[in-house]
Each structure stands twice: as structure tokens, then as C-alpha cells.
Amino acid sequence: MPHRGTAHLRVFQPLTAYPDAVQARLIAGTHRSRVEVEAEADERARQRLVRRAADPFPEPGEDELVRVVTDSHGSAFYCPDELGLRAEMAAALLEGAMTPSAFEAAIPAAARAMNRGRALVQLEDEWGLSPDPDEPHGEGGHHRVQTRTATWGVPHGWLAAFDPEEPVQRLVDGETVACRRARVTVARERCAHAAAVLVRHAPESELLGELTVMGEWLGSFHPDSVLELDYGALTSHVWPDDSVYDLWTLLDALEEGDAATGGVAQERLNRRWAAVGMLARAN
């Protein structure tokens, strides 16, 4: 089964933000509706888990899933799944956090090498970039993956990109999956404002580091892009979620020197996500 506690932060860019080769692939990938994309993503995740040999990477030749959102004017924005590239980046992070024997058991070297080769060939052929995927590439600049993933929680740095007054979307009519959306330029301005508050009043806060990374990431995409926070299966555990309201209440309280209000908002945030953390341990 797919991970029941996973949330995603995705950037959807206009078609013109992509090289021609990528544009063609994105257009070809829009034959699935969003409902079908999510169902296919879940089924592929399930298939990877039931393989006889450990291999968390996508199947060779598997067509890439493409998610699409439209704005109020009918303009389309695209987010390729980039699963092979994201899987390689996740493997690189795990490699430094696990013992060599445990890492090899979970992520066989041969499977990883094949996946990495496919991902990097695609970067070179379609984007004109060379390894590594999240490092500078000379005149080609950077390649930033368009999807970030969190398990059993939503980082507070993600929440700062949104406004509690903005309407919440439903990814699929009739489904209990909620998401928030904002223009990337607006989201980046919010993160910058939140960071400025913390620099003045809580410079040692871990959130400040999160916001710095968020600002750099958002700044690497087309300015007309759309940011989406997809609560995924976490929706049923936290919805209705007032975390965005609580975070901005806390930041405003810091700015105003209102320790009592800030303390209440912090306690609400801590209590809500501590309960989600308990679910993670139970699963």
C-alpha cells in the first residue's frame, strides 16, 4: 500500500517553462485525469512494495505521471512526478543515515545504479544538464525537482507559504483529500516575511532555516507557477487543519511582543502534530 501518512508540496509550472522535449512529454502525459494519476501513483507504489527483490525505484520504461492544475482563467500548469530523480536523491540522503549493510539490503546497488543512469540520461537529453540533479550546472543553471514529500507531518516552512483566508481546494470531488494553492511569487513573499520576523525575534529558530531553503527553492521556478500543498492521506487525520492560521498567529505575536497569544498558537501547533506523530509510531 502507498504510505498512508504522506503529504506533498508541488510546484506546477506553465508549459513554456520547460524545454521542448519536456513539453512534448508533459502534453503526452495529460491523457490521465488527476483522479487517474493519483490512483496510478498508488498502484505503482503498491507494486514496488510487493516485489520479490528489494527495489524502491520505478520500473524501466514506465511512463512518467504528470499532474496538471488550471487557474481561474483556464491556463494549465504542469508538475512531472520525477520519481526516478527523487528516488535517487532520497537514496543519497539515506546512505548517510544508515549502516552500509542495512542500506544495501533496502536499496540494492545494482537497482540504484540503473535508476540513477536513467534519471541522469533524461536530465542530459531533455534538460541539457549533467549530474548532480540539485547542484549548479554551469550555463545550464540548476535543476530543482518540483515535488517535496513529508511523512506523518507537514513542515512549518511549507505552511508559511499559504494564507489561512485562502479557500481550500479538493483534489477530487467527493474525496477527502484537501490541498492549498498559491502563486509561487506570493508564496515566496510570505516565506520571506516570515523569515524576516524570525531574524528579528527568534534567530535561533529551526523554522528560519526551513524558510531559507523554501525561499531558494521557490525562487528557482517560473514566476507564474502555482504552489500546491497536497495533504494526501493526512487529510483524514488533521482536517480541518488550522495550522496555517496558528503559524501566522504565532509570527504576528512575535512581531507584536504578545507572548501569551504566541504561546497559545505554539501549543496548538505542537499538540496537533504531536498527535500525528503518535500515529506514525503506531504504524
Side-chain angles (χ1 to χ4, degrees), residues 25-46:
R25 180 162 52 80
L26 294 179
I27 293 171
T30 58
H31 64 282
R32 292 187 180 94
S33 68
R34 185 68 183 264
V35 180
E36 292 168 334
V37 167
E38 301 305 339
E40 180 66 17
D42 287 350
E43 174 59 20
R44 290 181 183 185
R46 189 189 71 81

Side-chain angles (χ1 to χ4, degrees), residues 31-108:
H31 64 282
R32 292 187 180 94
S33 68
R34 185 68 183 264
V35 180
E36 292 168 334
V37 167
E38 301 305 339
E40 180 66 17
D42 287 350
E43 174 59 20
R44 290 181 183 185
R46 189 189 71 81
Q47 290 294 336
R48 289 194 296 274
L49 286 176
V50 299
R51 289 172 180 167
R52 289 186 176 181
D55 182 354
F57 301 103
E59 288 279 0
E62 200 172 68
D63 63 317
E64 183 168 45
L65 296 176
V66 179
R67 292 172 174 83
V68 183
V69 300
T70 55
D71 64 12
S72 58
H73 303 292
S75 299
F77 301 83
Y78 302 81
C79 182
D81 199 46
E82 299 181 293
L83 182 58
L85 190 55
R86 292 192 293 117
E88 165 55 28
M89 294 169 66
L93 289 174
L94 284 174
E95 190 171 19
M98 300 173 68
T99 63
S101 58
F103 180 78
E104 173 64 24
I107 304 177

Side-chain angles (χ1 to χ4, degrees), residues 224-248:
D224 291 336
S225 300
V226 175
L227 182 68
E228 177 187 271
L229 169 53
D230 170 8
Y231 282 82
L234 280 180
T235 305
S236 60
H237 300 300
V238 301
W239 208 258
D241 179 32
D242 293 324
S243 296
V244 173
Y245 171 81
D246 290 334
L247 180 64
W248 280 106

Side-chain angles (χ1 to χ4, degrees), residues 121-204:
V121 164
Q122 188 176 69
L123 274 182
E124 290 181 288
D125 289 351
E126 297 187 346
W127 292 88
L129 300 175
S130 302
D132 278 321
D134 246 351
E135 292 298 326
H137 300 285
E139 293 182 2
H142 294 70
H143 180 79
R144 300 290 189 182
V145 293
Q146 290 176 230
T147 300
R148 290 175 175 250
T149 300
T151 55
W152 293 112
V154 173
H156 292 175
W158 295 12
L159 298 171
F162 300 93
D163 186 319
E165 300 302 320
E166 289 171 333
V168 174
Q169 310 283 332
R170 292 288 175 177
L171 288 178
V172 182
D173 289 342
E175 292 290 331
T176 57
V177 177
C179 72
R180 300 182 185 273
R181 289 184 188 146
R183 288 287 180 179
V184 156
T185 49
V186 176
R188 194 180 184 199
E189 289 172 0
R190 289 173 183 153
C191 289
H193 173 64
V197 171
L198 293 174
V199 166
R200 289 191 292 270
H201 303 287
E204 303 303 318

